[in-house]
């Protein structure tokens, strides 16, 4: 995950670069905001999942507005890869590595808009990859949820609780997780949830322009300028 950061005013890009490098080493949970078309969310997800020779991905799909679920993964990856675990609450389906069928058999069919159920399976997937590899290196595990919106609508309190649990599970293996919430960045729910995350990526798509992103880094009190996604 590389970001060529530029700051509004007199921001220090080297400070941001060091902070971002620390996130990759210690693990991170990132909230992705902005009312954007599905293809913009998909592009952001591809960048955050990224590609490497040794990388493991857990993808949760909850939002029925998604038009192309496969577009969430980089071109080199697919739902059939043994390095990819997909939970689709929209359809009550999952795609897991063949070696994980025993783990998956202990789980019921994914339940629609159920934050607790989703957290249980995602934590099981994280544990599976950690055990299978004998220990994950920093940033090898990438986790994505698209999106939090149906979960927050169904049971906001439960969603907040399980986000803490899932965030801890990702942090314990120095993984990197991103959670889409397609609402304006100034929506009150963003402020309410932000304490559970290490950073925030705000997306936008202006007419006749490419999609853009800017990062909010609370720990160093920094916000980047708008950059092309």
């Amino acid at each position: 995950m590389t970001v060529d950061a530029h700051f509004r005013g007199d921001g220090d890009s080297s400070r941001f670069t060091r902070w971002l490098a620390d996130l990759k080493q210690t693990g991170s949970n990132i909230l992705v905001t902005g009312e954007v078309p599905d293809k913009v969310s998909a592009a952001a997800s591809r960048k955050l999942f990224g590609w490497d020779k040794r990388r493991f991905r857990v993808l949760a799909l909850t939002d029925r507005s998604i038009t192309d679920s496969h577009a969430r993964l980089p071109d080199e990856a697919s739902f059939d890869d043994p390095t990819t675990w997909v939970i689709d609450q929209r359809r009550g389906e999952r795609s897991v590595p063949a070696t994980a069928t025993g783990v998956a058999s202990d789980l019921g069919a994914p339940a629609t808009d159920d934050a607790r159920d989703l957290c249980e399976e995602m934590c099981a997937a994280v544990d599976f990859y950690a055990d299978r590899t004998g220990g994950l290196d920093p940033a090898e595990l990438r986790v994505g949820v698209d999106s939090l919106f149906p979960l927050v609508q169904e049971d906001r309190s439960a969603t907040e609780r399980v986000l803490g649990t899932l965030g801890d599970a990702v942090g314990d293996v120095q993984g990197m997780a991103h959670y889409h919430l397609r609402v304006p960045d100034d929506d009150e729910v963003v402020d309410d949830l932000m304490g559970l995350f290490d950073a925030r990526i705000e997306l936008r798509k202006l007419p006749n322009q490419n999609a853009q992103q800017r990062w909010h880094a609370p720990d160093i009190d920094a916000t980047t300028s708008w950059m092309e996604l």
Side-chain angles (χ1 to χ4, degrees), residues 39-76:
K39 65 180 181 181
V40 175
S41 290
S45 182
R46 287 195 299 274
K47 290 180 70 73
L48 290 163
F49 272 121
W51 173 255
D52 205 328
K53 290 182 179 179
R54 181 177 149 106
R55 181 155 295 174
F56 306 91
R57 300 172 183 84
V58 181
L59 170 62
L61 302 165
T62 69
D63 200 318
R64 285 174 286 280
S65 69
I66 289 173
T67 56
D68 187 353
S69 55
H70 292 265
R72 268 71 196 158
L73 298 181
D75 292 340
E76 300 87 348

Side-chain angles (χ1 to χ4, degrees), residues 62 64 88-92 109-115 117 150-151 154:
T62 69
R64 285 174 286 280
D88 192 341
Q89 281 199 340
R90 305 167 307 158
R91 297 185 173 90
T112 303
D113 301 341
D114 191 320
D117 182 83
L151 306 178
E154 180 68 23

